[in-house]
């Protein structure tokens, strides 16, 4: 059992301390930067899927439902694989998951055939699940108990940037 101390430094002071801690821990900094880049570049696909299925694949709402379901199958498979491996090769698996996600998204984005898109969306789900599970696990493994809340709040702020990346990607389309 540990002791909990409450300090009245305020939110900005805690944020500053968390950022200083991250900057001093190069492994944690690299992990958070990788997660940030991956989230910003990969997460907009979920929000753009309805437009993609309607305008490019011409399959409508039913086709969208199947695509999301097939992506979920890939995500379940990825989660089961990661859970079965335990603590082995977590860093390498995170890089592999991020690379799988990126390559599969590129393939999915250039596909104009529904069946090919279905094949590409499986590794998208697999890579996304692996990236999410492993980045969260690794961040928590590399942070000490005293800074865990501050670092995890910064980690979660990265997902808020998804809105900005969706806006940027939408401008490009």
């Amino acid at each position: 059992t540990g002791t909990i101390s409450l300090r009245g430094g305020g939110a900005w002071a805690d944020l500053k301390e968390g950022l200083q801690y991250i900057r001093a821990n190069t492994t944690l900094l690299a992990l958070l930067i990788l997660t940030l880049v991956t989230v910003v570049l990969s997460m907009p696909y979920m929000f753009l899927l309805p437009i993609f299925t309607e305008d490019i694949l011409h399959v409508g709402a039913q086709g969208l439902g199947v695509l999301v379901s097939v992506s979920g199958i890939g995500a379940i498979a990825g989660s089961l694989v990661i859970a079965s491996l335990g603590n082995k090769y977590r860093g390498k698996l995170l890089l592999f998951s991020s690379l799988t996600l990126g390559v599969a998204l590129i393939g999915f984005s250039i596909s104009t055939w529904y069946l090919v898109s279905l094949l590409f969306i499986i590794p998208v789900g697999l890579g996304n699940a692996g990236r999410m599970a492993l980045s969260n696990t690794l961040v928590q493994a590399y942070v000490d108990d005293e800074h865990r809340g501050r670092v995890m709040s910064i980690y979660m702020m990265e997902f808020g940037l998804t809105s900005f990346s969706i806006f940027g990607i939408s401008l490009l389309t």
Side-chain angles (χ1 to χ4, degrees):
T1 63
T3 60
I4 298 174
S5 64
L6 300 176
R7 297 177 305 187
W12 291 111
D14 286 344
L15 179 62
K16 182 180 176 185
E17 184 182 342
L19 289 171
Q20 288 171 343
Y21 176 79
I22 290 167
R23 197 169 69 203
N25 187 332
T26 55
T27 302
L28 194 56
L29 178 62
L31 184 57
L32 288 172
I33 289 171
L34 174 68
T35 301
L36 174 66
V37 169
T38 308
V39 165
V40 167
L41 294 177
S42 69
M43 290 311 290
Y45 92 91
M46 282 299 290
F47 299 95
L48 297 173
L49 269 180
I51 297 166
F52 196 83
T53 55
E54 192 69 36
D55 296 345
I56 296 170
L57 299 176
H58 308 289
V59 291
Q62 283 184 320
L64 173 63
V66 173
L67 273 172
V68 172
S69 298
V70 170
S71 176
I73 291 169
I76 290 171
S79 298
L80 291 174
V81 167
I82 289 167
S84 70
L85 295 176
N87 294 334
K88 296 179 195 172
Y89 313 112
R90 290 185 298 189
K92 289 179 182 177
L93 278 173
L94 175 62
L95 292 174
F96 179 75
S97 294
S98 298
L99 183 64
T100 300
L101 174 60
V103 170
L105 272 176
I106 290 170
F108 179 81
S109 69
I110 61 176
S111 169
T112 57
W113 294 338
Y114 184 61
L115 292 177
V116 173
S117 297
L118 282 172
L119 291 175
F120 275 116
I121 204 77
I122 294 170
V124 167
L126 187 133
N128 199 28
R131 182 206 49 82
M132 287 173 38
L134 290 166
S135 64
N136 193 329
T137 301
L138 287 169
V139 166
Q140 293 202 44
Y142 281 102
V143 68
D144 62 25
D145 290 339
E146 182 181 340
H147 294 95
R148 188 174 318 278
R150 281 165 256 172
V151 171
M152 290 309 293
S153 66
I154 292 167
Y155 171 78
M156 293 308 292
M157 283 173 36
E158 292 180 343
F159 294 97
L161 295 175
T162 302
S163 300
F164 292 111
S165 62
I166 293 167
F167 179 70
I169 296 294
S170 297
L171 289 177
L172 294 173
T173 58

